[in-house]
Amino acid sequence: APQPRAGSAVTPQGFRLPEGAGCSGAIARYRAVIANDHDTGNVNDTVYRQIEGEISSASAACAAGKDGEAMNLVAASKSRHGYPG
């Protein structure tokens, strides 16, 4: 049976999404949402690792100056896992 996560199933008061423009901002915000969902127990470890891998691919594309590719990777990951665009 899955082990319950320590902590609260509610987003902490004062949670703020990172700011920033372009692919780096979009990646930072998606990563923050995923980390929060994992911390609150709304995303299990397996899915969290999968999404983190997808975010890492987007981050690499962004760092290489491939903004469009990075944004497409983020959008595809969000769609695959049921997050709004």
Side-chain angles (χ1 to χ4, degrees):
Q3 296 295 320
R5 295 187 60 80
S8 173
V10 177
T11 299
Q13 187 174 19
F15 175 81
R16 300 278 184 261
L17 289 175
E19 295 184 18
C23 58
S24 61
I27 290 165
R29 286 185 291 279
Y30 186 34
R31 186 168 267 147
V33 168
I34 296 307
N36 178 69
D37 282 355
H38 182 250
D39 292 345
T40 58
N42 294 305
V43 169
N44 70 35
D45 292 339
T46 301
V47 174
Y48 176 75
R49 284 191 299 272
Q50 180 183 359
I51 295 172
E52 270 299 315
E54 294 167 0
I55 292 172
S56 292
S57 295
S59 186
C62 185
K66 300 175 182 177
D67 292 15
E69 179 181 336
M71 295 298 281
N72 286 338
L73 289 168
V74 168
S77 178
K78 285 180 169 184
S79 175
R80 188 176 304 111
H81 298 286
Y83 285 88

